[in-house]
Amino acid sequence: MAGSGGSKLGAFQYTKCKMDDYYAPGRNHLFVPGPVNIPEQVLRAMNRNNEDYRSPAIPAMTKVLLEDVKKIFKTITGTPFLIPTTGTGAWESALTNTLSPGDRIVSFLIGQFSLLWIDQMQRLNFNVDVIESDWGAGANLEVLGSKLAADTGHTIKAICIVHNETATGVTNNLAAVRKLLDHYQHPALFLVDGVSSICALDFRMDEWGVDVALTGSQKALSLPTGMGIVCASPKALEASKTSKSVKVFFDWKDYLKFYKMGTFWPYTPSIQLLYGLRTALDLLFEEGLDNVIERHSRLAKATRLAVEAWGLKNCTQKEEWFSDTVTAVVVPSYIDSSEIVRRGWKRYNLSLGLGLNKVAGKVFRIGHLGNLNELQLLGCLAGVEMILKDVGYPVKLGSGVAAACAFLQNTIPMIPSRI
Amino acid sequence: MAGSGGSKLGAFQYTKCKMDDYYAPGRNHLFVPGPVNIPEQVLRAMNRNNEDYRSPAIPAMTKVLLEDVKKIFKTITGTPFLIPTTGTGAWESALTNTLSPGDRIVSFLIGQFSLLWIDQMQRLNFNVDVIESDWGAGANLEVLGSKLAADTGHTIKAICIVHNETATGVTNNLAAVRKLLDHYQHPALFLVDGVSSICALDFRMDEWGVDVALTGSQKALSLPTGMGIVCASPKALEASKTSKSVKVFFDWKDYLKFYKMGTFWPYTPSIQLLYGLRTALDLLFEEGLDNVIERHSRLAKATRLAVEAWGLKNCTQKEEWFSDTVTAVVVPSYIDSSEIVRRGWKRYNLSLGLGLNKVAGKVFRIGHLGNLNELQLLGCLAGVEMILKDVGYPVKLGSGVAAACAFLQNTIPMIPSRI
Amino acid sequence: MAGSGGSKLGAFQYTKCKMDDYYAPGRNHLFVPGPVNIPEQVLRAMNRNNEDYRSPAIPAMTKVLLEDVKKIFKTITGTPFLIPTTGTGAWESALTNTLSPGDRIVSFLIGQFSLLWIDQMQRLNFNVDVIESDWGAGANLEVLGSKLAADTGHTIKAICIVHNETATGVTNNLAAVRKLLDHYQHPALFLVDGVSSICALDFRMDEWGVDVALTGSQKALSLPTGMGIVCASPKALEASKTSKSVKVFFDWKDYLKFYKMGTFWPYTPSIQLLYGLRTALDLLFEEGLDNVIERHSRLAKATRLAVEAWGLKNCTQKEEWFSDTVTAVVVPSYIDSSEIVRRGWKRYNLSLGLGLNKVAGKVFRIGHLGNLNELQLLGCLAGVEMILKDVGYPVKLGSGVAAACAFLQNTIPMIPSRI
Amino acid sequence: MAGSGGSKLGAFQYTKCKMDDYYAPGRNHLFVPGPVNIPEQVLRAMNRNNEDYRSPAIPAMTKVLLEDVKKIFKTITGTPFLIPTTGTGAWESALTNTLSPGDRIVSFLIGQFSLLWIDQMQRLNFNVDVIESDWGAGANLEVLGSKLAADTGHTIKAICIVHNETATGVTNNLAAVRKLLDHYQHPALFLVDGVSSICALDFRMDEWGVDVALTGSQKALSLPTGMGIVCASPKALEASKTSKSVKVFFDWKDYLKFYKMGTFWPYTPSIQLLYGLRTALDLLFEEGLDNVIERHSRLAKATRLAVEAWGLKNCTQKEEWFSDTVTAVVVPSYIDSSEIVRRGWKRYNLSLGLGLNKVAGKVFRIGHLGNLNELQLLGCLAGVEMILKDVGYPVKLGSGVAAACAFLQNTIPMIPSRI
């Protein structure tokens, strides 16, 4: 009989959905600066069984991938390695192949990821000459200049720099580093962590004379984690022949041996990541790498305008260092930035980046890299506004979105394939 | 040498990615009122090979599905049918199983979908007594009352009503219809199109004495198109025994025969949609059907507040008819609403609903139903603001988002699984 | 301490994996004659969110699909319809669009599916003139000849025939039917159920003057269930203009109206099935339709050789009727063929087809259609041998596989893409 | 007009399907000994977007995974590490964490993988004391006994052994190694490569006093490549505190630090592999680890019986060393085993393992590990028979399958979930 339906329904049993212990309706809004959103095209490409990697199919595919992946580094002369590892492994690969224990490295400490790389250098027994900046500032190139000037004996074997410090949203000027090296005619290797820059920021391996550049699959390439992509200049390859660092898994020699044989893999690659990379590159080239970079610039500018409209400070101290892949936002001292991140996850299904180490509790981060568009970002910005209000910051709701929209509405191009 | 890299790169060949003729970076923002966004959990569940539907597995699964699907209708006594068809087929199933050619049906014409259903009734040779309203108004229940009062001979065999008219964003009051039927002690069958309401709006089959209720998989259930879900009351089943309408594919008898046999399927079902439905129901029950309805109410209210802030009119004429699944927005006469939809797709990767038939060019529609959350909606609203500006409407950017956020920030609950 | 590990492990809790109530390791060996195995390429293509079907993308895709789908019917002049339904719905579409209630149809009853179609014809109020054969025999064309000869007044409006009777593994000779019609210059429509033949057996719509041909997505196209594909000749389209059968969902007129408008869809299609169909056609054309047909012929011949080697009888009475998509195997009277099917599922993760209706318990069926290769079939045949032994039939293990291999090893072509 | 249809069809254009350069119909029969077939359940679980690995969800999931993964090692006291790397990386992790450069290791050279591990040991500057056997023989434990007996000064720091040599199909007796160590009361660490054994062969970390055991995700776990799973005993952890080997990426200390913090990850894990591992473990536990091992034993025995029936020799010299995960088959000297592998791929869509290094051209390998069942294997065996005939070996077709079936039909259990 009508009316009694509702109450009886309570009697039905329901078993909770496995693997959804933290279920929330709708999309997760993923705005950590990595791992980033994977486009559907890539998910599709990776949705496949394993394959024999010694059949003709995988080497044929790998050969083209190695050629194509050079384009994201903007290199003609580089040699890429697709290593089943993470960014940390890619760092280790860059260092241990080109340098020997005790070698003097000049490196810049400007945030958590440069710190971790330096820690790695030290634990790998390199002699690290650290140039430290405030967290929020870029690499101190003046000090680098002095060191290069003083180093007439060429004791400095390598300059190591993080192109984009993900912890503070600081982008370093790589062209300026090259200029200094050229100015002092210094032969040091130029090693660049491009983890949160390559495929998103302007990066020119050949033009800037970068000797090793590296990135990870889960960043601007918008793939799952698991592939460290390292590219070596001829000079770096030459250096690798005399490196005395102990390594096997990360040894380029093994790769080069298999490149020569045409089988390409010293050990089993992830079949799925190879197909994923194929598709990720297809999407990048379809959009056009320069357009991808411009899109990142547009999204970043919109984010910064929102931050400004909220009356908050960018952790990045000067405009020249503004990062186009991540924005670290400083919160007032009476607010714990971790609470912002927690609240995003608990109330809005929004994933923001925590402040790390020195800036823990002081900044939260909005990652705006990878396969992402404007309306996704605007949803995130609207969410941040509500969170700010939740945690007691007197934001004017809509203000950040308005500022971002005012800029975006003037600058978003028509989608070329749809005109 | 450095510097020349860029130009040489132009020489690389690139083959366009198949099946992405309309590629755009980032997520498509799907805000048509169906088909709607499919959650990842459902995509995963459907990512599977075919199965023998005569093995014990599929009947066992179907049995539980049929029991569980009754919950979305809030019925204990109803009998559900999962038909491999669309909403249009579900309409035909409802009519041809319960009525005979020439039977008098009272039906309400209030927009495109009620129009199409009436057209179907007429072509199926029923005698349709149409009660017409302005597009934007709800069903005229006064006229229904008069007709029922006058129909002492019970020539009216059925009242057919669209619960939620998707073209104009109008929700009809089903409880009021039942009240009238009860008041006049009229035995007419009560057939309800719940295509854009069930699983999103409050719907109570048993309590409201609905005789046939139906929906489609691609609406609030957030599945692909392909399953028409029809639920029949005992009275409707009784009526089906004497219906003289000619049909085979849509004949409930065949289903009932197989239900009795315990094999459940008179013809091959989509294995994938069965698993998809299983998961869609799991997600609905996990969130709680009442919470799902509340979420839809919240998203709809936020949308209406944005429309108001933009200075635009809701196509729905009175608050009592406001739809919580779709909002039809009236544009000023100097703007072609189709241009808004086109621009959304061409510039913002945003899919909005066109104005249909009488309101073509005059309204555009924002669908806010299915597995969707607040930040997704806010991204859409920000997009609409930019589009409005694009087409020459003097909107204050951020105004709609601000209005929506002011409401949402006060009302969004914490995500229960994450507290 | 060593040794005690094993027993303590028993204490760990384990929660059963949801939705795998019937879990078995390894692939399910799916050899029912539909739904059939979906290739990974198709699963990938279908692994996607919904889309607005009114955007330019879906009509553009549909336009090409409609052109390409004609190739599987081998028609230039036909008009295809992609209907969100099953084979049963496709039957209804074929009949109700071309004929009027009371029209005389000549139809052949040779097994369960022809029986079901005839049942549909009768319930749709056509006047069915049934030509019955034994189950296991093909259509009796002599009787058809007599009827055509006698029908000087052209009261026969249509000849309906199942190209391949899935229940008994009988393939009818369509060219011979056409020859008879031509011989008697009879204008009857020629309607063909190609559900388990099209894309697998030789089928020539234009050459054989077929007026309506139809199939279902889950058969040789190797898609999920949910798309009925119907193709109408110009003569069938002409007939549809005067058909008095009552229908709306299945009405071709609605499709034709939307074809003209260039939007193609009278109601929401399954986005996923469209992309799936795109890929299924790509795969068919990649292999070459003639090669696909030859592959089916090869797999079928191998199956029949195995059956012979086992000392069992093919349900199909004469070689001219042997089906290349399904083989119905007669078991000795002391064995219940259902037990063979049950055992396949319970012990070997092998899905075979049951005997239906008149041949229930007497035959089991091996479906060998769709995206399938020789080694898959051989695994199935080996499985059948073990099952036969399980149920007490004195089969020589390996005998069927040996016979099949002897034939296949001589006939399998090299894979063209891998030479 | 009829008859001309066929020829005109040739005029239709067709664009080749991207990423299917080596397309063949039906399933690829993947019988290399890794990477192996991924079950659909795992593919589904991995079909997902990235997630913030610092949210509460991933640590919560990791915590349970680390507990559950111990079960596949049969350890209570071990500490597992899920490292984003391959088996080669897992080797490096095992060695560099527990040993210091110059440390004396006793290791067995019995095939390609033990060779590669020894090469790694040498390049990592360990002092490797190699005990060599013929390829096809197992570890020479007598020599080990002598060395242990002689080593009263305990200069041997570790015994390194490959549990299952994938190149020759040889399984070593780990319990016997432990017995020797215990007999001589030798404190050497006991490091085991379980890449092609764990989750497939009987493996008892605690009972056998294994100090480091390791496997890779793409082997018996049936996942994609990309996760090296290493498990350390308390003694190994203790040793790691004083190891002087240089490493960062592979350093357990970083993991242990994050374990303590409850965030678990020193760098970004693959979200997809975590969910994949969750499901892979669910499936293993659902079947029951002992049943999984028994299934591998059954499949292996069937394979060996087929090899015998073909009149071919197993590369493994003695029955005690027979591997239950891979069978290396010796071909007559007039046949090149590589041609067998090539032909499998080119004609039968069958992927077999090549002979490596010393046995290149002399053996081909059938991998029978992972989520696999009997009928899959029988399809493979039938394929091998045809290939053997193709290349000129006078095999009696069906003979191997018959021998395998005779054994399997007696031993395959009913599927527990389906009884």
Side-chain angles (χ1 to χ4, degrees), chain A residues 226-275:
Chain A
M227 188 185 278
I229 305 175
V230 177
C231 198
S233 74
K235 188 171 152 191
L237 280 192
E238 197 54 37
S240 74
K241 292 178 186 163
T242 54
S243 153
K244 291 192 178 60
S245 294
V246 171
K247 74 270 170 185
V248 176
F249 180 77
F250 290 119
D251 201 332
W252 295 347
K253 280 193 199 73
D254 295 332
Y255 280 85
L256 294 171
K257 188 176 115 190
F258 283 83
Y259 286 6
K260 223 170 251 170
M261 291 163 54
T263 50
F264 289 102
W265 295 104
Y267 30 71
T268 322
S270 162
I271 300 299
Q272 291 72 20
L273 277 173
L274 291 182
Y275 282 96

Side-chain angles (χ1 to χ4, degrees), chain A residues 23-81:
Chain A
Y23 176 66
R27 297 280 297 175
N28 171 248
H29 298 267
L30 185 60
F31 285 87
V32 296
V36 307
N37 293 290
I38 304 175
E40 253 198 10
Q41 290 90 344
V42 169
L43 287 181
R44 268 196 291 283
M46 296 184 64
N47 182 36
R48 65 175 61 235
N49 194 13
N50 281 327
E51 280 182 42
D52 176 16
Y53 75 103
R54 295 288 182 216
S55 87
I58 299 299
M61 181 190 207
T62 304
K63 195 180 173 185
V64 181
L65 276 176
L66 288 173
E67 210 45 58
D68 279 355
V69 88
K70 288 161 68 177
K71 299 174 197 173
I72 66 171
F73 293 99
K74 289 208 173 144
T75 184
I76 298 289
T77 58
T79 299
F81 304 99

Side-chain angles (χ1 to χ4, degrees), chain B residues 103-107 118 120-122 126-130:
Chain B
D103 274 359
R104 183 179 171 203
I105 297 173
V106 173
S107 196
I118 286 167
Q120 186 183 61
M121 293 168 202
Q122 289 166 337
F126 299 111
N127 171 17
V128 197
D129 189 345
V130 177

Side-chain angles (χ1 to χ4, degrees), chain A residues 15-18 40 43-45 47-49, chain C residues 15-18 40 43-45 47-49:
Chain A
T15 312
K16 204 174 171 207
C17 185
K18 214 176 130 77
E40 253 198 10
L43 287 181
R44 268 196 291 283
N47 182 36
R48 65 175 61 235
N49 194 13
Chain C
T15 312
K16 203 174 172 206
C17 187
K18 212 177 132 78
E40 254 199 9
L43 287 180
R44 269 197 291 284
N47 182 35
R48 65 174 62 234
N49 195 13

Side-chain angles (χ1 to χ4, degrees), chain A residues 92-348:
Chain A
E92 194 151 328
S93 166
L95 297 169
T96 58
N97 278 285
T98 57
L99 299 165
S100 298
D103 275 358
R104 182 180 171 202
I105 298 173
V106 172
S107 196
F108 301 91
L109 169 46
I110 66 166
Q112 178 64 7
F113 292 91
S114 40
L115 175 69
L116 287 172
W117 200 15
I118 286 166
D119 174 64
Q120 186 183 61
M121 293 169 203
Q122 289 167 336
R123 290 162 67 189
L124 292 172
N125 293 332
F126 299 111
N127 171 15
V128 197
D129 189 344
V130 176
I131 303 178
E132 193 165 355
S133 299
D134 283 352
W135 286 39
N140 190 330
L141 299 188
E142 277 180 47
V143 176
L144 174 64
S146 317
K147 285 184 191 282
L148 290 174
D151 185 38
T152 50
H154 295 168
T155 63
I156 300 171
K157 296 305 177 202
I159 311 296
C160 289
I161 189 165
V162 171
H163 187 193
N164 186 76
E165 170 56 61
T166 320
T168 55
V170 164
T171 303
N172 285 312
N173 187 339
L174 300 183
V177 173
R178 167 48 56 203
K179 219 170 158 185
L180 281 173
L181 283 163
D182 285 355
H183 179 77
Y184 293 105
Q185 298 191 301
H186 198 289
L189 291 165
F190 184 16
L191 310 189
V192 177
D193 163 344
V195 170
S196 62
S197 76
I198 286 166
C199 294
L201 307 185
D202 187 22
F203 184 84
R204 310 177 187 198
M205 183 164 181
D206 284 4
E207 187 176 330
W208 296 340
V210 172
D211 290 305
V212 186
L214 60 92
T215 189
S217 50
Q218 81 278 19
K219 298 285 183 169
L221 272 166
S222 302
L223 289 162
T225 307
M227 188 185 278
I229 305 175
V230 177
C231 198
S233 74
K235 188 171 152 191
L237 280 192
E238 197 54 37
S240 74
K241 292 178 186 163
T242 54
S243 153
K244 291 192 178 60
S245 294
V246 171
K247 74 270 170 185
V248 176
F249 180 77
F250 290 119
D251 201 332
W252 295 347
K253 280 193 199 73
D254 295 332
Y255 280 85
L256 294 171
K257 188 176 115 190
F258 283 83
Y259 286 6
K260 223 170 251 170
M261 291 163 54
T263 50
F264 289 102
W265 295 104
Y267 30 71
T268 322
S270 162
I271 300 299
Q272 291 72 20
L273 277 173
L274 291 182
Y275 282 96
L277 177 61
R278 178 65 272 158
T279 301
L281 292 175
D282 285 351
L283 296 183
L284 284 172
F285 299 156
E286 165 84 8
E287 186 176 358
L289 203 46
D290 289 342
N291 294 328
V292 171
I293 291 166
E294 205 176 293
R295 175 166 54 79
H296 279 86
S297 158
R298 192 164 60 241
L299 292 171
K301 174 84 176 166
T303 306
R304 291 191 293 264
L305 287 166
V307 172
E308 208 180 296
W310 298 331
L312 292 175
K313 243 177 46 126
N314 196 316
C315 175
T316 317
Q317 293 174 354
K318 286 190 197 166
E319 199 176 322
E320 57 176 296
W321 296 319
F322 279 162
S323 164
D324 281 353
T325 54
V326 56
T327 298
V329 184
V330 181
V331 298
S333 60
Y334 60 89
I335 291 172
D336 175 5
S337 68
S338 309
E339 182 53 26
I340 287 174
V341 175
R342 261 196 300 277
R343 204 159 180 94
W345 195 69
K346 286 189 172 185
R347 194 181 191 203
Y348 301 98

Side-chain angles (χ1 to χ4, degrees), chain D residues 280-308:
Chain D
L281 293 174
D282 284 351
L283 296 183
L284 285 172
F285 300 155
E286 165 83 9
E287 187 176 357
L289 204 44
D290 289 342
N291 294 328
V292 171
I293 291 166
E294 205 175 294
R295 175 167 51 81
H296 279 85
S297 158
R298 192 163 61 240
L299 293 171
K301 174 84 175 164
T303 306
R304 289 192 294 264
L305 287 167
V307 172
E308 208 180 296

Side-chain angles (χ1 to χ4, degrees), chain C residues 5-172:
Chain C
S7 57
K8 274 190 198 160
L9 286 167
F12 283 116
Q13 289 298 321
Y14 171 65
T15 312
K16 203 174 172 206
C17 187
K18 212 177 132 78
M19 282 202 219
D20 273 303
D21 289 339
Y22 298 91
Y23 176 67
R27 295 281 297 177
N28 170 249
H29 298 268
L30 185 61
F31 285 87
V32 294
V36 307
N37 292 288
I38 306 175
E40 254 199 9
Q41 290 90 342
V42 169
L43 287 180
R44 269 197 291 284
M46 295 185 64
N47 182 35
R48 65 174 62 234
N49 195 13
N50 282 327
E51 279 183 43
D52 177 16
Y53 73 105
R54 295 287 181 217
S55 87
I58 299 300
M61 180 190 208
T62 305
K63 195 181 172 183
V64 181
L65 276 176
L66 288 173
E67 210 45 57
D68 278 357
V69 89
K70 289 161 67 178
K71 299 175 198 172
I72 64 171
F73 293 99
K74 290 210 173 143
T75 183
I76 297 287
T77 58
T79 299
F81 304 98
L82 309 174
I83 307 171
T85 189
T86 66
T88 303
W91 281 345
E92 192 151 331
S93 166
L95 298 169
T96 58
N97 277 283
T98 56
L99 300 166
S100 298
D103 275 359
R104 182 178 170 203
I105 299 173
V106 173
S107 197
F108 302 90
L109 170 46
I110 65 167
Q112 178 66 6
F113 291 92
S114 40
L115 175 70
L116 287 172
W117 199 15
I118 287 167
D119 174 63
Q120 187 183 61
M121 293 169 203
Q122 289 166 336
R123 288 163 67 190
L124 292 173
N125 295 329
F126 298 112
N127 171 15
V128 198
D129 189 344
V130 178
I131 303 177
E132 194 165 356
S133 301
D134 281 352
W135 286 39
N140 190 330
L141 299 188
E142 278 179 48
V143 177
L144 175 65
S146 319
K147 284 185 193 278
L148 289 175
D151 187 37
T152 49
H154 294 168
T155 62
I156 300 171
K157 297 304 176 200
I159 311 297
C160 288
I161 189 164
V162 171
H163 188 192
N164 185 76
E165 170 56 64
T166 320
T168 53
V170 164
T171 302
N172 286 312

